[in-house]
Amino acid sequence: PSPPAPPQPGTDAAPPPSPSRSPRRPGAPSLPLPARAGELGPPGALDSSAASTQGELSPSSPPRRRPGPDCRAGSRGRHGLGAGLGGPGARLFGWLRERSLGRGLFVDPARDNFRTMTNLYGSIHPADSVYLSTRTHGAVFNLEYSPDGSVLTVACEQTEVLLFDPISSKHIKTLSEAHEDCVNNIRFLDNRLFATCSDDTTIALWDLRKLNTKVCTLHGHTSWVKNIEYDTNTRLLVTSGFDGNVIIWDTNRCTEDGCPHKKFFHTRFLMRMRLTPDCSKMLISTSSGYLLILHDLDLTKSLEVGSYPILRARRTTSSSDLTTSSSSSGPRVSSSPCHHSDSNSSSEKHMSRASQREGVSPRNSLEVLTPEVPGERDRGNCITSLQLHPKGWATLLRCSSNTDDQEWTCVYEFQEGAPVRPVSPRCSLRLTHYIEEANVGRGYIKELCFSPDGRMVSSPHGYGIRLLGFDKQCSELIDCLPKEASPLRVIRSLYSHNDVVLTTKFSPTHCQIASGCLSGRVSLYQPKF
């Protein structure tokens, strides 16, 4: 018989069987066909297909490589292997890119879970709300879930803290006389320890396993304590109050008498203070409309007046530097929140020159901004509420005008990048989304929040709440960044209160939202099936 014709270049014809092996017997299982050029199988598929087509190779003989378009010289070009692999290769490199960004079902399953949960949030109706029995405890100032979502804590106006089971909506415990004045904020340190702060100038630590007594009481502020932050890496508790002080508490050395503490920062007209999720920045909002950002945060160093280098003080609406006003007509006057004296100016300049010689920005560098607020370009505003995106991409502000006739919810993206010069800011804020709020309940602070995945915003709106998204599909912020500031989209409006809503919170683990109002009622929203 005539010898078989040689295969054409680029085809996938299998080589003839080895002479040492007998031909396949009738009825024997067939060998898998080799993969076509450009197709990618699971790990090890290429080796198994090569072994199946060439028989069993001896350990000493190296595997053969078939000539093909993906192995020719110059076929990789500037895009490497992906250009030669074509469509499947592009899919592979697309998958690798998504994986490097922390996306994909097998890399970040919670991403798809939250996408489903976002759809569930859009199906909630006001009739689905459940009321908790809190009417006799005064206004609700703050709501906080435990990290595992098993406990909902309520900070009340009349010195009490309430604990509920958010799944069964049952009351667990009332901490009567938790403080001597109204409770302002609650913060969980882990699944069992949490801290509360009050207008009685103290902070209290509590343990869910023993709620009859406090773990300890912290003294250090001289005025109302308004919010609490916690650095999980160093286990440092950070508090701020209307005395203008930011104080650090070392919970590693906590005793019944308290914790060692030190004053970290001071500014005038302080309203709220937040730490980014990675604790690399501290943001401070003021009633005079300024937003202070401390970059490359180091909580172990105290910042005395004039000891921190100012990167830049500017407005987000223009490139002109911030000018200090000499007006002093009240706490909301547009004036610089930072104190400076002539005796400290020389030390500041010395530090700036040292930073320029080193070529890097120093730790705890301060940036002062005046965030752009729609409709308030020519008037001052007060930043009453401050929240951060759970992934640290943006900040969420609730602003009101000096005359309390307008309120806005604004989202500002962090502009990361290399500094233009050693003493220039490492980031600035850009207004990406905004929406005007109902001007109801003047004089009260409304606390808003991001959803756990950062796709939605829950904002108090009159006698209810609004669920807001960056677009109609509730996409992530980085996937729908506009070139110019655009309005937030209203996904769902939920009105179930009979008084002004002051605070709202997403559950970290369940499809549930809680809201509290001025008359003391707490509502839970969740879809019904």
Side-chain angles (χ1 to χ4, degrees), residues 141 226 242 271-272 384-385 441 443-447 502-503:
F141 287 158
K226 287 301 181 181
F242 279 1
M271 288 292 295
R272 291 292 185 268
T384 58
S385 182
Y444 286 95
I445 296 174
K446 288 87 175 179
E447 297 287 355
L502 301 181
T503 181

Side-chain angles (χ1 to χ4, degrees), residues 270-283:
L270 188 150
M271 288 292 295
R272 291 292 185 268
M273 174 272 307
R274 302 291 179 191
L275 299 178
T276 54
D278 60 356
C279 296
S280 63
K281 299 181 183 66
M282 176 185 288
L283 280 75

Side-chain angles (χ1 to χ4, degrees), residues 198-271:
S198 169
D199 283 356
D200 64 3
T201 72
T202 66
I203 301 98
L205 295 181
W206 304 85
D207 193 329
L208 287 176
R209 300 169 298 181
K210 188 180 179 181
L211 291 172
N212 295 328
T213 59
K214 303 176 185 178
V215 175
C216 64
T217 302
L218 310 180
H219 299 270
H221 285 277
T222 58
S223 184
W224 302 346
V225 187
K226 287 301 181 181
N227 75 298
I228 307 171
E229 291 289 289
Y230 184 65
D231 185 354
T232 56
N233 299 322
T234 60
R235 297 186 63 187
L236 295 177
L237 199 69
V238 189
T239 61
S240 66
F242 279 1
D243 56 1
N245 292 327
V246 177
I247 298 181
I248 308 295
W249 310 83
D250 188 1
T251 60
N252 299 293
R253 296 184 291 167
C254 186
T255 63
E256 294 181 356
D257 299 329
C259 299
H261 68 279
K262 63 179 179 180
K263 184 191 298 185
F264 176 73
F265 188 78
H266 178 82
T267 184
R268 292 180 292 177
F269 314 141
L270 188 150
M271 288 292 295

Side-chain angles (χ1 to χ4, degrees), residues 345-416:
S345 59
S346 59
S347 62
E348 248 185 306
K349 294 179 181 178
H350 174 73
M351 292 186 67
S352 299
R353 287 194 296 267
S355 302
Q356 290 177 352
R357 288 194 300 268
E358 294 174 2
V360 294
S361 297
R363 301 294 298 271
N364 295 329
S365 301
L366 177 65
E367 181 181 7
V368 184
L369 298 173
T370 307
E372 175 187 357
V373 179
E376 295 293 322
R377 289 181 172 86
D378 300 327
R379 296 184 295 173
N381 61 83
C382 173
I383 305 175
T384 58
S385 182
L386 169 65
Q387 297 291 337
L388 289 172
H389 191 278
K391 298 182 180 179
W393 294 342
T395 181
L396 180 65
L397 302 182
R398 184 74 172 251
C399 305
S400 62
S401 62
N402 283 345
T403 55
D404 279 338
D405 58 347
Q406 280 185 315
E407 268 190 311
W408 298 84
T409 291
C410 302
V411 178
Y412 298 86
E413 175 204 10
F414 282 112
Q415 296 286 316
E416 299 288 351

